[in-house]
C-alpha cells in the first residue's frame, strides 16, 4: 500500500469505526486492515472520531434519522486496543456532524494538532463518501496536506458505487494515497505480512 509522505509531522484520523458502521461483509475487513496499519505505521498524533445523531442535528433535520451514542457505539475494541500504546498522542472526538473539524471541541482539536506540529493528515474509516469526505476537505481548507487512504476506507453498507463516487472526487484533487501528485513523497507498507 502506498502511503503519502509530504511532511515530517503527520496525524492519522480514524473516523467512525464503530459497531454500527462495522456491520456487513466489507467493513470488518477494512477494520482489520486499519488495525494492521496502525501497528505498522507510526504517527505523531492520532485522532479518534465517533459520531452519533441526536434529533437536534442536521442528520435529523435534513435526512430524518437519529442515532444515539448507544446505537452507534464506541470505536471497535480492536482499534482501541491497538491505539492504547499511543494514549499520549491520542485526541478523541465525539461529533454530531460529518466533519471532525466541526465537533464541540474543535478549538481543542486545533490546539492538539498545533502542539504536535501536524502538517499532514491521513484519513481512514467510514463513510468515505460522507464523514471522511467532509473531514478531508475541511482539513485541506484548514491548511493541512490531506490524504484519504483508499484501502482503509469504505461505505459501511458496502455500496461500492458510493465509494467509487467519492474516490473519483478525491482523485481529481490528488487527495488519496493512490492519486498523489508526482511532487509528493511516498512510502510503502505491506499489510499482508
Amino acid at each position: 500500500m502506498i502511503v503519502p509522505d509530504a511532511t515530517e509531522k503527520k496525524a492519522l484520523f480514524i473516523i467512525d469505526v464503530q459497531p454500527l458502521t462495522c456491520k456487513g461483509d466489507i467493513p470488518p475487513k477494512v477494520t482489520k486492515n486499519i488495525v494492521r496499519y496502525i501497528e505498522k505505521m507510526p504517527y505523531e498524533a492520532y485522532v479518534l472520531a465517533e459520531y452519533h445523531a441526536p434529533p437536534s442535528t442536521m442528520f435529523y433535520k435534513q435526512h430524518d434519522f437519529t442515532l444515539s451514542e448507544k446505537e452507534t457505539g464506541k470505536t471497535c475494541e480492536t482499534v482501541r486496543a491497538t491505539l492504547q500504546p499511543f494514549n499520549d498522542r491520542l485526541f478523541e472526538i465525539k461529533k454530531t456532524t460529518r466533519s471532525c473539524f466541526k465537533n464541540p471541541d474543535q478549538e481543542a482539536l486545533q490546539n492538539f494538532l498545533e502542539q504536535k506540529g501536524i502538517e499532514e493528515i491521513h484519513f481512514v474509516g467510514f463513510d468515505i463518501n460522507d464523514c471522511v469526505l467532509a473531514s478531508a476537505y475541511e482539513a485541506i481548507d484548514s491548511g493541512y496536506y490531506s490524504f484519504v487512504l483508499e484501502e482503509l476506507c469504505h461505505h459501511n453498507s458496502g455500496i461500492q458505487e458510493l465509494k467509487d463516487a467519492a474516490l473519483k472526487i478525491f482523485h481529481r484533487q490528488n487527495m488519496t494515497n493512490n492519486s498523489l501528485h508526482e511532487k509528493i513523497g511516498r512510502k510503502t507498507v505491506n499489510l499482508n505480512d
Side-chain angles (χ1 to χ4, degrees):
M1 183 176 119
I2 297 167
V3 180
D5 191 27
T7 70
E8 292 290 317
K9 301 279 189 165
K10 300 172 190 62
L12 180 67
F13 277 50
I14 302 121
I15 300 176
D16 303 344
V17 183
Q18 297 164 257
L20 188 67
T21 58
C22 289
K23 293 180 179 176
D25 295 332
I26 298 170
K29 294 173 188 171
V30 172
T31 301
K32 274 186 184 175
N33 283 336
I34 290 171
V35 167
R36 282 191 202 117
Y37 183 77
I38 293 168
E39 291 170 341
K40 291 177 176 255
M41 190 60 81
Y43 282 81
E44 285 71 33
Y46 299 86
V47 175
L48 190 62
E50 297 173 348
Y51 87 104
H52 66 285
S56 61
T57 67
M58 290 307 295
F59 289 112
Y60 177 73
K61 293 175 183 176
Q62 188 165 350
H63 302 285
D64 201 31
F65 81 86
T66 62
L67 293 165
S68 69
E69 288 183 66
K70 185 177 180 182
E71 289 173 302
T72 57
K74 296 195 71 55
T75 299
C76 293
E77 199 51 48
T78 55
V79 173
R80 278 197 171 277
T82 306
L83 288 169
Q84 187 79 33
F86 311 113
N87 276 339
D88 62 329
R89 294 183 260 163
L90 179 65
F91 187 88
E92 295 190 47
I93 297 169
K94 289 191 180 288
K95 63 186 180 67
T96 58
T97 60
R98 287 170 166 82
S99 172
C100 292
F101 292 91
K102 298 292 186 196
N103 73 84
D105 292 329
Q106 60 189 357
E107 189 174 317
L109 172 60
Q110 289 292 353
N111 290 339
F112 172 77
L113 295 173
E114 285 175 20
Q115 287 170 357
K116 299 295 183 187
I118 301 305
E119 299 174 279
E120 179 176 349
I121 300 174
H122 298 171
F123 296 91
V124 303
F126 306 103
D127 285 335
I128 191 169
N129 64 300
D130 199 352
C131 295
V132 172
L133 186 139
S135 297
Y137 267 92
E138 186 91 23
I140 205 167
D141 284 347
S142 298
Y144 297 101
Y145 283 92
S146 302
F147 302 105
V148 173
L149 304 183
E150 291 185 33
E151 297 85 347
L152 305 178
C153 294
H154 203 67
H155 186 276
N156 74 52
S157 66
I159 299 173
Q160 187 64 39
E161 292 83 9
L162 292 175
K163 181 176 182 178
D164 292 343
L167 287 174
K168 188 171 188 174
I169 292 167
F170 287 133
H171 287 171
R172 177 81 173 139
Q173 303 300 324
N174 301 111
M175 288 178 65
T176 78
N177 58 317
N178 296 320
S179 66
L180 299 176
H181 189 277
E182 61 191 32
K183 71 178 182 179
I184 301 295
R186 59 203 76 206
K187 298 177 182 177
T188 58
V189 64
N190 185 350
L191 297 179
N192 297 320
D193 60 9

